[in-house]
Amino acid sequence: DIEECRPLQHLSELDVMDEFKHGVDGIVVWGGKEAVEAYRKDLPAQTKCIVFGPKLSVAVVTEEGLERVGVETAARQLSEEISIWDQNACTAPQICYVEGEKNARNLAENLALAMKEKAIVLPAGPAGVDTAVEIQKLRGVSEVEEARGLGMVLSSCGNVDWTVIVKNSPQIEPSPLHRTISIVPVNK
């Protein structure tokens, strides 16, 4: 009911978490025992709770944000987040949702340039054999999708130092890391 809605400025952190818990099908929780217990408390029975599951960070780029900071600046900032610790930090995005297909492709092209520049000043660490295989497999599948007009692949030549993939599927799939990101266009 609309009458039951409370203004955001009157909501406590616990109120926000309660609203969150009742609006999702599942949550993934990391942290100490107290953090896990706090998320499990009052969790609806139908909501799945995955404790210490796969870590997946996403970035969201709005059309307004791109207009405000510019696509080159957004690409440089995103490349920095992806390149630090080769995406092994839990805050490093693996997926970037971008408002509008044209904006997504423009950001991807600028991100590829920024990743190329970043690889010079902050070279990627060595990729393990399993990681390199996963990246090559992802690139191969993405190249087929690109040939079908369903995406785009931009990557470092001769190595697996960085990969930028534009894909039209909003499905969340963890990347093999090592500076590999999916750019997903979304509608307003």
Side-chain angles (χ1 to χ4, degrees), residues 26 55 67 78 93 105 109 122 124 134 140 166 170:
K55 294 180 181 178
E67 289 172 4
L78 190 54
R105 288 183 172 272
E109 289 168 353
L122 183 63
E134 287 300 314
V166 177

Side-chain angles (χ1 to χ4, degrees), residues 39-68:
Y39 276 92
R40 279 189 171 154
K41 184 177 187 271
D42 300 323
L43 193 65
Q46 74 277 8
T47 305
K48 187 174 183 176
C49 180
I50 302 168
V51 179
F52 308 113
K55 294 180 181 178
L56 179 74
S57 293
V58 300
V60 177
V61 177
T62 63
E63 189 169 32
E64 179 183 319
L66 282 176
E67 289 172 4
R68 190 168 16 93

Side-chain angles (χ1 to χ4, degrees), residues 83 86 108-109 111-120 122-125 127 132 135-136 139 143 153-165 177-181:
S83 298
D86 296 333
E109 289 168 353
L111 180 56
L113 294 172
M115 295 297 289
K116 186 176 182 178
E117 291 173 7
K118 183 59 69 181
I120 294 168
L122 183 63
I135 292 169
Q136 292 292 23
R139 285 180 179 183
E143 286 169 359
V153 181
L154 303 162
S155 60
S156 55
C157 295
N159 58 47
V160 293
D161 284 354
W162 58 268
T163 307
V164 178
I165 296 170
L177 303 178
H178 200 73
R179 302 183 187 196
T180 303
I181 187 162

Side-chain angles (χ1 to χ4, degrees), residues 56-60 78 90-97 172:
L56 179 74
S57 293
V58 300
V60 177
L78 190 54
C90 61
T91 57
Q94 298 175 39
I95 301 169
C96 180
Y97 293 99
I172 295 177

